[in-house]
Amino acid sequence: TVKDWLYLTNAPLPGRYYYYNAIIKLIKSTQKEILFSTPYFVPDYIFFKALYKAQKRGVTVHLLVPKISNHPFVGYAGDFYKERLISKGARIYQYTKSMMHSKTAVFDDTAGMVGSLNLDNVSLRYNFEGGLIIKDADCIADLRQDFFEDIKDLSPITIKDWHNRPLKEKIMAYLTWPIRKLL
């Protein structure tokens, strides 16, 4: 039905972050599980804080990102956030088959999301973006099934794996941190 689908947009104007605000509200209301797939993960402070607080209240966060980004600086710039989430129990998976461009989310079994919004500062705050917030149970189940199909052969990154990653990746993460808000 029409009430099960809501198309929202973001515009880089004050008060026009409808899609972004809806996602933050969904994160804050989730009780059990959040699934995100995104090609870029460099969240702003508000987004990161909402995810972090969700973990603190017992929500399991699953994040699927590409192992190798087509924009390497963006890939490295989100590493600080990934480490913080992993240390609190997030399950972060790296997609290895190719560059991944899906932008989806599932919040418990109550809402799903599909759209153009990357989880990076530029998309969250400065781009025109659009997407669907979905309340249809069958579609949410399909999104959830697709997510777990994508990660079926992947293992989440452990904190030990994270600390043992190559020195080059650690240096690049350090160098890109100061410009993360521009990525």
Side-chain angles (χ1 to χ4, degrees):
T1 64
V2 174
K3 68 180 173 107
D4 291 337
W5 301 83
L6 178 63
Y7 180 74
L8 295 173
T9 60
N10 262 19
L13 302 166
R16 303 290 179 165
Y17 302 116
Y18 306 115
Y19 195 28
Y20 172 80
N21 290 334
I23 294 167
I24 297 299
K25 186 176 177 180
L26 286 166
I27 292 170
K28 289 179 176 181
S29 66
T30 300
Q31 300 299 310
K32 296 178 283 187
E33 181 178 65
I34 298 171
L35 315 174
F36 276 114
S37 62
T38 183
Y40 313 110
F41 185 74
V42 188
D44 67 359
Y45 178 74
I46 293 168
F47 191 99
F48 173 74
K49 186 176 169 184
L51 270 184
Y52 196 76
K53 283 184 172 184
Q55 284 187 272
K56 286 178 85 172
R57 67 175 186 271
V59 174
T60 302
V61 173
H62 296 265
L63 178 65
L64 176 61
V65 295
K67 180 163 180 63
I68 299 173
S69 177
N70 61 337
H71 296 289
F73 288 124
V74 178
Y76 293 124
D79 283 357
F80 169 79
Y81 300 108
K82 292 172 195 165
E83 180 174 11
R84 297 278 308 268
L85 293 173
I86 292 167
S87 71
K88 290 296 181 195
R91 295 180 182 128
I92 299 179
Y93 305 87
Q94 294 179 318
Y95 192 78
T96 57
K97 295 178 185 173
S98 64
M99 179 56 193
M100 179 197 82
H101 274 285
S102 64
K103 298 151 183 127
T104 65
V106 174
F107 306 90
D108 290 335
D109 294 325
T110 59
M113 178 194 90
V114 176
S116 65
L117 188 71
N118 293 308
L119 301 182
D120 62 33
N121 281 285
V122 173
S123 287
L124 292 171
R125 295 287 186 172
Y126 307 113
N127 284 353
F128 289 94
E129 302 286 354
L132 292 171
I133 303 293
I134 303 159
K135 300 288 184 151
D136 178 80
D138 291 336
C139 189
I140 295 166
D142 287 345
L143 286 171
R144 188 173 196 289
Q145 181 179 348
D146 288 347
F147 182 89
F148 283 105
E149 180 67 26
D150 285 342
I151 67 167
K152 75 176 180 185
D153 296 326
L154 304 176
S155 296
I157 303 166
T158 65
I159 199 69
K160 183 180 177 184
D161 295 337
W162 191 255
H163 289 153
N164 289 332
R165 70 192 194 282
L167 181 61
K168 175 191 170 197
E169 291 179 21
K170 293 176 185 178
I171 292 169
M172 291 304 294
Y174 178 78
L175 293 175
T176 57
W177 176 251
I179 61 169
R180 73 193 178 284
K181 292 183 179 180
L182 303 172
L183 301 172

